[in-house]
Amino acid sequence: MGRPRTAVPFLASNDDGRNNYSVEDGLIQREPRPREGGLPHMVARFLRRFMSGNQIDGGSRTEAEEKLYSWLYALAQSERDLVFEYVQSTERGLSFTEAERRLRENGPNAPPEYTFTSWWHLLWNAFFHPFNIILIVLSVLSYITSDNPNGCIMLVLVFISVSLRFYQEYSSSKAAMKLSEFVRCPIKVQRCAGRVEQTELVVQVDQKDVVPGDIVIFEPGDLFPGDVRLLSSKHLVVSQSSLTGESVTADKIADIRENQSTPLLDLRNICFMGTNVVSGSGTGLVISTGSKTYMSTIFSNIGKRKPPDDFEKGVRRISYVLVGVMLVVVAIIILTEYFSSKELSESILFGISVACALTPQMLPLIVNTCLAKGALAMAKDRCVVKSITAIRDMGSMDILCIDKTGTLTMNRAIMVGHLDSWGVTREKVLQFAFLNSYFKTDQKYPLDDAILAYVYTNGYRFQPSRWTKVDEIPFDFIRRRVSVILEIESNSRDSKSKSSERFMVTKGALEEVMKVCSFIEKIDSGSTTAFSTEEYQQILNLGEELSNEGLRLIAVAVKRLTKNRRGQTKDDDEITESDMVFLGVITFYDPPKDSAKQALWRLAEKGVKAKVLTGDSLALTIKVCQEVGIRTTHVITGPDLELLNQESFHETVQRATVLARLTPTQKLRVVQSLQTVGNHVVGFLGDGINDSLALDAANVGISVNSGASVAKDFSEIILLEKDLNVLVAGVVRGRMTYSNTMKYIKMCVIANVGSVLSLLIATLFLQFEPLTPRQLLTQNFLYSVGQIAIPWDKMEEDYVKTPQRWSQQGLPTFILWNGPVCTLCDVATLLFLWFYYDADVVNMEDLFRAGWFVEGLLMQTLIIHLIRTEKIPFIQEIASWQVVLSTVVISAIAIAIPCTALGSIMGFDRLPLSFFGFLVVLFIGYFTIGQIVKRVYILVYRKWL
């Protein structure tokens, strides 16, 4: 079967002839190491590994990297036949049975960062949380001090906290796995079938099912599913920006043997996983997949995550502030308790309980629940969220860059006409456009389908069977044209002998085709004349007129060739695409979407400005933008942008709403300028190969399920339907997610800081602890459970009308304004219990603690209703029923505990009815003062949350 096997060098074998190592191991030549035996050497090696912490010194490659480099260089330097032996494959491809065996052996073809976390890993992450460790330490200290009920309560707190977080994250992970099944990346592979006589078959498999030894077939826009050794190539140009970060493309050639001095990423016969085809086509042999690829090995500790956004940085800063406050307050409380009671263990236990009360224990759960809830809601709108943090970024997005094609229009090209240089309908223009679309084997585009459909439905007989394809120069986004070389046989007039003629037929963007034309054909007379300046300008004017009518157009040119075209290299393509004869243009109509205008208006209402970044002509783009309501007072083209200096470039990009004729690199520069100079949160909606750089750079990359593989790979959100209204819903979901998260953060920090400051004041003036550690932890636990309903809260319409971003000064300022109100109420309760009930003495400590417990828990529970809205709570605005129910339940539990046997166990006395009358007056005063502070705050800072 296949070719006869040849000896593979460097392979060690057992006596039975089987390889003892993998092929990759065999290709690595290592220096023999001295054998280190004995217990001292084992201990020394262990200590070296333990002390190093898996750090890399930066001066040498790791063992995995050395193995990878040796493997890739060995294949790059080898002949084609030997490469098949190295990966144990054949020129016909793997059989389906062998491919299934290798898939079982190697596992799915997915880098580690694309695999979903196992359930036990989620459970460990839920358990190993700083706040849970604090509770466990408290529990251990409680058991040491024989306070078994207290230790039991804290272990229950840990169990419930871990269970809630694990359940939510496990549910979110399962939902994400289910949603990811919608996003497929099909790869064309060549497999062989048949037992007696094998047949080569080209089939499509998902990227995760590709195995080493598969032969893959690729075209523009395809992602390489693994590290690949090229077998054949035709004008292959690859973008390696995902590995290098540079937008410069690389030429790849199959028929070449590299040497060891060539840098790894410059190897011309090796393509790497994660890179994509810009232009050209070819076939390749998969040599590494999954975690054994260059991308996975080199970037295994980096991943594809983007830098932390403002929200994550803000949460990190406020965490540091809380830790600082915690250390200072807890130290003061421990010292105060110790000097008054002389019990060090009890003082430490109380201090750690206060520290636990200060930490926002439910923050990870609240954030994850908000994001997962938003992702699942968007899934109902036919939208796959690959990264749930993109939901929050959509809420902060204030600029959406979109491509015209398929977003503002129907993306359904309808051919309208075929005109010569003077705007007259000519069949010859259609004939050569048809031949170009019919014979091109490069990736088919909607315009090709429109030309073919027009010819077939209108009964034209161009007889493509008489023509033979010789070669092809594929389309790329720099030349913006495609050429095919065709041959046709014709009978000689003088004899019966046959002769043949060759033609190059080129079609593409009008300006780019005109660049390679030196002649123009006057089809009515059949004569060909030199391209004059007047005729050149006339065609440009014709193109502008057609674009102003909303028509898209491509130009057609032809050239008669000699027969020495075979074997020509890519460097000769520019020479061949020259001195051509301009024939005319083909016009298309892509009607604007009815929903686009409404969706753009809704986005503008919510503070999201739309900018069109497209490679199409300026006149056509302006026409479409005017029809859908995008302002066109400030427009510019890519060539004009190149002429600007840096300062003018940034200024123009901020002002322009339509940017046409952009290259992929220019789209990237525009997005980066908006982010850095304009300080905008940028979303980019694109589905083409030329959008991949901008998608990767944008804060929110958005693509569609029908888009190119590379575009979907660089996107965080994938629309299953190309409708901007889905994005409007996503923006609203993002802002609701952000607002609910901010509600919890602001409310939690204010309540916790106010409560701890009150405890500090009470500790300094009382002869006993205002609350025991068990009571304090129970209060904190009930309060935390009551906040689980926050992700289901509703949001005011005014709030979702503007983009929401984290403000560095916003949270500290908010705390300084609102924190003292909580502390004031707690101090009022302290004074009431002290002077009205004389509860400042030791024999009245149970009554004091009962009152302090109930007031503190009710305060922390009710504060959400004051914080969540700018309006008057319970009168002008009411929370969602989930939040109201949670408030009622937790408040009822708080009031009931001192009146039950559980209250006696926890050390509470029954509270007199007069105390509840005081609470009514207290909370009326709290909401009144809080509302006054809120209104003044809004007047000063023009916003609330």
Side-chain angles (χ1 to χ4, degrees):
M1 181 178 69
R3 297 171 291 100
R5 295 183 61 83
T6 58
V8 181
F10 315 131
L11 292 182
S13 302
N14 290 328
D15 294 337
D16 59 0
R18 291 178 298 177
N19 291 333
N20 194 32
Y21 303 102
S22 67
V23 180
E24 294 93 330
D25 291 333
L27 289 174
I28 301 169
Q29 302 182 64
R30 298 187 177 91
E31 295 293 332
R33 296 180 180 177
R35 184 175 182 86
E36 296 180 351
L39 182 62
H41 290 290
M42 293 175 61
V43 173
R45 285 197 301 271
F46 172 78
L47 290 175
R48 281 198 300 269
R49 291 183 61 187
F50 180 77
M51 296 293 290
S52 66
N54 294 328
Q55 293 180 347
I56 300 173
D57 59 10
S60 60
R61 289 194 287 260
T62 64
E63 183 177 348
E65 291 173 0
E66 288 288 357
K67 181 178 179 181
L68 171 77
Y69 274 62
S70 299
W71 173 241
L72 292 176
Y73 273 110
L75 293 171
Q77 298 174 64
S78 301
E79 293 284 357
R80 172 189 170 110
D81 291 343
L82 196 57
V83 171
F84 281 103
E85 289 295 338
Y86 284 164
V87 296
Q88 300 174 358
S89 184
T90 68
E91 293 181 350
R92 293 180 176 178
L94 299 174
S95 65
F96 288 92
T97 304
E98 175 64 14
E100 290 177 2
R101 187 192 69 78
R102 294 192 182 193
L103 184 61
R104 290 193 300 269
E105 180 179 316
N106 296 296
N109 176 31
E113 62 264 29
Y114 289 109
T115 56
F116 289 97
T117 310
S118 59
W119 67 268
W120 59 267
H121 198 143
L122 290 174
L123 182 60
W124 172 254
N125 288 338
F127 172 79
F128 198 77
H129 193 277
F131 304 141
N132 292 332
I133 300 303
I134 291 175
L135 290 175
I136 292 174
V137 171
L138 289 171
S139 177
V140 172
L141 291 175
S142 298
Y143 282 114
I144 291 175
T145 57
S146 301
D147 190 1
N148 295 334
N150 192 24
C152 182
I153 289 176
M154 285 181 282
L155 289 180
V156 170
L157 290 175
V158 173
F159 174 77
I160 295 178
S161 176
V162 171
S163 299
L164 287 173
R165 185 174 178 186
F166 170 72
Y167 173 77
Q168 182 59 51
E169 293 189 357
Y170 183 65
S171 301
S172 301
S173 179
K174 286 180 64 178
M177 291 175 64
K178 187 177 295 185
L179 293 176
S180 67
E181 295 175 0
F182 285 106
V183 183
R184 297 294 183 182
C185 187
I187 304 295
K188 288 182 181 178
V189 300
Q190 179 179 302
R191 298 265 174 92
C192 59
R195 294 184 178 180
V196 179
E197 182 178 351
Q198 292 195 335
T199 305
E200 298 172 4
L201 300 175
V202 177
V203 296
Q204 279 195 344
V205 301
D206 194 64
Q207 177 175 328
K208 63 182 179 61
D209 296 327
V210 174
V211 297
D214 265 330
I215 296 176
V216 294
I217 303 166
F218 40 84
E219 297 174 339
D222 288 344
L223 282 168
F224 287 101
D227 292 342
V228 172
R229 169 61 157 87
L230 293 178
L231 301 176
S232 65
S233 62
K234 181 177 290 186
H235 314 300
L236 184 61
V237 179
V238 173
S239 170
Q240 299 185 154
S241 60
S242 58
L243 300 179
T244 64
E246 300 175 358
S247 58
V248 180
T249 57
D251 296 337
K252 297 291 183 177
I253 304 171
D255 300 327
I256 191 173
R257 291 181 64 184
E258 294 285 5
N259 56 59
Q260 194 75 25
S261 62
T262 306
L264 184 69
L265 292 179
D266 293 339
L267 295 175
R268 287 171 291 176
N269 57 5
I270 300 291
C271 297
F272 301 95
M273 184 179 194
T275 62
N276 63 282
V277 181
V278 175
S279 63
S281 58
T283 60
L285 184 67
V286 178
I287 55 179
S288 301
T289 59
S291 59
K292 296 182 179 180
T293 60
Y294 173 82
M295 182 179 71
S296 297
T297 303
I298 302 302
F299 300 124
S300 59
N301 295 324
I302 300 176
K304 291 185 61 179
R305 293 185 178 179
K306 296 182 179 180
D309 56 17
D310 292 341
F311 181 87
E312 294 170 347
K313 292 177 182 177
V315 171
R316 189 179 302 164
R317 290 192 195 99
I318 201 63
S319 300
Y320 295 153
V321 172
L322 287 177
V323 170
V325 173
M326 179 194 308
L327 292 175
V328 173
V329 173
V330 169
I332 295 174
I333 288 178
I334 290 177
L335 291 175
T336 303
E337 277 293 304
Y338 175 70
F339 287 133
S340 62
S341 65
K342 305 300 181 181
E343 293 288 341
L344 181 61
S345 60
E346 289 291 332
S347 302
I348 294 176
L349 188 60
F350 180 65
I352 297 178
S353 301
V354 172
C356 187
L358 185 59
T359 54
Q361 300 176 31
M362 291 295 179
L363 179 59
L365 178 63
I366 296 294
V367 172
N368 290 335
T369 304
C370 287
L371 294 175
K373 184 174 178 292
L376 293 175
M378 290 188 68
K380 296 179 181 178
D381 295 330
R382 304 279 294 164
C383 182
V384 179
V385 180
K386 292 170 60 180
S387 172
I388 59 174
T389 55
I391 302 287
R392 187 177 60 233
D393 292 334
M394 285 194 73
S396 303
M397 180 177 68
D398 58 349
I399 286 185
L400 176 64
C401 298
I402 55 181
D403 185 13
K404 176 187 71 65
T405 306
T407 306
L408 303 179
T409 59
M410 301 290 290
N411 197 24
R412 191 178 64 228
I414 303 171
M415 182 176 162
V416 177
H418 40 96
L419 312 175
D420 64 9
S421 305
W422 290 267
V424 180
T425 300
R426 299 296 181 187
E427 186 174 309
K428 187 174 182 180
V429 179
L430 178 61
Q431 179 187 8
F432 281 99
F434 167 79
L435 292 174
N436 181 288
S437 297
Y438 183 88
F439 282 103
K440 61 172 288 194
T441 55
D442 196 26
Q443 187 173 11
K444 296 285 186 182
Y445 290 96
L447 298 183
D448 296 307
D449 297 332
I451 292 173
L452 297 177
Y454 184 89
V455 170
Y456 294 144
T457 56
N458 287 277
Y460 289 98
R461 306 288 183 181
F462 292 135
Q463 298 180 322
S465 58
R466 294 181 56 207
W467 296 80
T468 303
K469 179 180 174 181
V470 177
D471 205 348
E472 177 179 348
I473 304 176
F475 177 88
D476 64 60
F477 292 98
I478 308 299
R479 292 166 40 255
R480 297 172 66 202
R481 57 181 180 262
V482 57
S483 298
V484 294
I485 298 173
L486 306 176
E487 186 174 88
I488 185 172
E489 292 187 358
S490 59
N491 294 324
S492 175
R493 294 181 179 178
D494 300 332
S495 64
K496 296 182 179 180
S497 62
K498 293 185 177 181
S499 62
S500 60
E501 295 178 301
R502 288 188 180 177
F503 295 89
M504 170 178 279
V505 183
T506 301
K507 77 173 190 298
L510 178 62
E511 296 85 351
E512 303 301 329
V513 172
M514 292 175 67
K515 285 180 183 178
V516 298
C517 290
S518 300
F519 306 95
I520 184 171
E521 179 168 326
K522 299 178 179 179
I523 298 181
D524 53 351
S525 62
S527 61
T528 300
T529 60
F531 218 153
S532 66
T533 305
E534 292 78 11
E535 289 168 334
Y536 191 93
Q537 188 60 46
Q538 175 191 331
I539 295 173
L540 289 179
N541 293 338
L542 174 65
E544 187 173 354
E545 291 175 7
L546 294 172
S547 296
N548 289 336
E549 295 175 6
L551 298 178
R552 185 175 182 181
L553 54 93
I554 59 173
V556 183
V558 68
K559 176 183 178 181
R560 193 184 301 269
L561 297 175
T562 56
K563 293 187 179 181
N564 60 353
R565 177 64 179 86
R566 291 187 183 275
Q568 201 168 34
T569 63
K570 184 181 182 300
D571 294 337
D572 299 324
D573 290 344
E574 279 73 22
I575 300 174
T576 303
E577 287 183 329
S578 61
D579 297 329
M580 302 194 73
V581 180
F582 188 87
L583 295 182
V585 296
I586 305 292
T587 59
F588 305 87
Y589 180 62
D590 188 4
K593 286 182 179 176
D594 296 333
S595 61
K597 187 172 185 178
Q598 178 190 10
L600 289 171
W601 179 77
R602 292 175 62 194
L603 283 171
E605 261 195 331
K606 290 173 174 50
V608 180
K609 298 178 181 178
K611 288 181 180 286
V612 176
L613 278 59
T614 180
D616 289 337
S617 68
L618 180 60
L620 174 59
T621 305
I622 289 176
K623 177 67 175 177
V624 174
C625 290
Q626 288 174 342
E627 292 186 5
V628 296
I630 296 178
R631 292 183 179 179
T632 56
T633 51
H634 298 289
V635 299
I636 195 168
T637 63
D640 293 335
L641 279 177
E642 290 296 326
L643 302 177
L644 302 177
N645 59 37
Q646 188 173 9
E647 183 178 351
S648 300
F649 176 87
H650 292 310
E651 183 181 347
T652 302
V653 165
Q654 306 303 319
R655 187 175 62 250
T657 54
V658 177
L659 299 95
R661 294 181 59 198
L662 296 181
T663 64
T665 307
Q666 289 171 334
K667 290 184 178 182
L668 170 64
R669 291 179 60 201
V670 169
V671 169
Q672 292 174 335
S673 175
L674 292 171
Q675 291 172 320
T676 55
V677 179
N679 194 29
H680 295 289
V681 177
V682 181
F684 190 94
L685 173 58
D687 59 356
I689 310 160
N690 56 336
D691 298 323
S692 57
L693 296 177
L695 283 167
D696 188 43
N699 300 94
V700 187
I702 309 165
S703 188
V704 293
N705 198 33
S706 58
S709 299
V710 63
K712 292 187 288 185
D713 185 65
F714 286 135
S715 301
E716 287 88 16
I717 295 176
I718 297 179
L719 309 180
L720 300 181
E721 295 178 0
K722 230 177 194 182
D723 188 356
L724 282 176
N725 285 295
V726 176
L727 289 184
V728 179
V731 168
V732 174
R733 302 278 185 196
R735 292 177 185 176
M736 291 181 64
T737 298
Y738 180 88
S739 67
N740 285 333
T741 306
M742 288 305 300
K743 284 178 193 176
Y744 175 78
I745 292 175
K746 291 187 173 182
M747 174 206 64
C748 183
V749 172
I750 290 173
N752 289 4
V753 171
S755 175
V756 169
L757 290 178
S758 303
L759 284 170
L760 176 61
I761 294 171
T763 303
L764 293 173
F765 288 97
L766 293 176
Q767 304 175 24
F768 51 85
E769 296 172 347
L771 287 175
T772 64
R774 182 194 311 174
Q775 295 165 350
L776 185 58
L777 289 171
T778 303
Q779 183 190 64
N780 188 51
F781 168 71
L782 290 174
Y783 159 67
S784 298
V785 171
Q787 309 315 312
I788 295 177
I790 288 179
W792 283 267
D793 193 17
K794 59 185 180 179
M795 201 62 212
E796 299 173 25
E797 292 185 4
D798 292 340
Y799 187 85
V800 298
K801 285 184 178 180
T802 55
Q804 304 298 327
R805 297 185 66 177
W806 183 280
S807 172
Q808 294 186 13
Q809 295 80 23
L811 186 57
T813 305
F814 194 88
I815 295 172
L816 290 175
W817 277 73
N818 294 274
V821 180
C822 295
T823 305
L824 181 63
C825 292
D826 288 338
V827 171
T829 304
L830 170 65
L831 295 175
F832 180 77
L833 290 170
W834 189 339
F835 291 105
Y836 190 80
Y837 295 113
D838 295 327
D840 60 320
V841 294
V842 175
N843 60 350
M844 295 290 289
E845 61 183 10
D846 290 348
L847 176 64
F848 180 91
R849 287 169 178 166
W852 189 273
F853 175 87
V854 172
E855 183 273 338
L857 185 52
L858 290 179
M859 171 67 70
Q860 292 177 327
T861 303
L862 292 172
I863 191 175
I864 180 61
H865 298 276
L866 181 66
I867 298 297
R868 62 172 296 277
T869 177
E870 297 180 6
K871 301 175 182 178
I872 301 175
F874 302 113
I875 298 175
Q876 294 179 328
E877 175 68 16
I878 301 177
S880 66
W881 68 266
Q882 293 95 334
V883 175
V884 173
L885 178 63
S886 172
T887 302
V888 171
V889 170
I890 298 300
S891 300
I893 293 174
I895 295 172
I897 283 178
C899 303
T900 62
L902 179 61
S904 300
I905 295 175
M906 294 184 64
F908 291 141
D909 272 352
R910 287 178 176 269
L911 291 168
L913 290 177
S914 57
F915 180 76
F916 295 102
F918 163 76
L919 287 182
V920 172
V921 174
L922 177 71
F923 287 124
I924 291 175
Y926 167 71
F927 278 103
T928 302
I929 297 173
Q931 194 65 27
I932 294 173
V933 171
K934 182 194 299 184
R935 299 315 306 171
V936 176
Y937 182 91
I938 294 174
L939 286 174
V940 174
Y941 297 102
R942 304 294 180 184
K943 64 179 298 185
W944 178 235
L945 288 176

